[in-house]
Amino acid sequence: MTILALGLALAVLAGLTVMQLLLIGGRPLGEYAWGGQHRVATPRLRQAAVVAVVLYAGFALLLLSRAGVLHGGDTTAITAATWVLFAYCASSIALNAISRSRRERIVQTPVSMLLALDVLVIAINGPGA
């Protein structure tokens, strides 16, 4: 179950990374991110997208560790960080659900739900499950 959740979580993070890279590149996808207020990301939102890409890479490494693919998945620090990531993902469900952008609500809310569920499975089961 953990490996399936890991694969899905990594796929979601990869998709989100591609979207952020497209926003950084000036593609008109702003209605799907950052509250949907700007069709094309502003310079400040592009900077935020760069930070998001770096965070997504860190999330992927954390999940790979907790799932037992990388070392340290059973340590207290990795376990705690995974639960913090779950809380972050769970809160993003609510934030996407109340977005002013209809497109962001329709697309990102289910994406957030899937990612949160995957992170929860990984957090609960840990390495080797």
Side-chain angles (χ1 to χ4, degrees):
M1 186 67 127
T2 300
I3 295 302
L4 175 61
L6 177 63
L8 289 171
L10 293 176
V12 169
L13 289 171
L16 290 170
T17 298
V18 168
M19 184 188 77
Q20 296 294 344
L21 291 172
L22 291 171
L23 287 167
I24 292 165
R27 303 302 297 173
L29 297 172
E31 294 170 292
Y32 296 93
W34 307 113
Q37 296 179 2
H38 302 281
R39 188 165 180 263
V40 175
T42 64
R44 187 174 182 129
L45 291 177
R46 289 178 190 196
Q47 290 173 347
V50 169
V51 172
V53 168
V54 172
L55 287 173
Y56 296 156
F59 296 166
L61 291 172
L62 174 65
L63 295 173
L64 285 163
S65 179
R66 181 65 184 147
V69 175
L70 299 177
H71 296 296
D74 55 355
T75 65
T76 303
I78 295 296
T79 301
T82 306
W83 283 107
V84 170
L85 177 57
F86 169 70
Y88 171 80
C89 292
S91 68
S92 73
I93 296 168
L95 294 174
N96 284 309
I98 63 170
S99 173
R100 292 181 185 170
S101 168
R102 183 175 187 274
R103 290 182 178 177
E104 185 174 15
R105 284 192 313 271
I106 289 171
V107 173
Q108 297 295 11
T109 302
V111 168
S112 297
M113 292 171 80
L114 177 60
L115 185 56
L117 178 62
D118 293 331
V119 172
L120 178 62
V121 168
I122 295 165
I124 289 171
N125 293 319

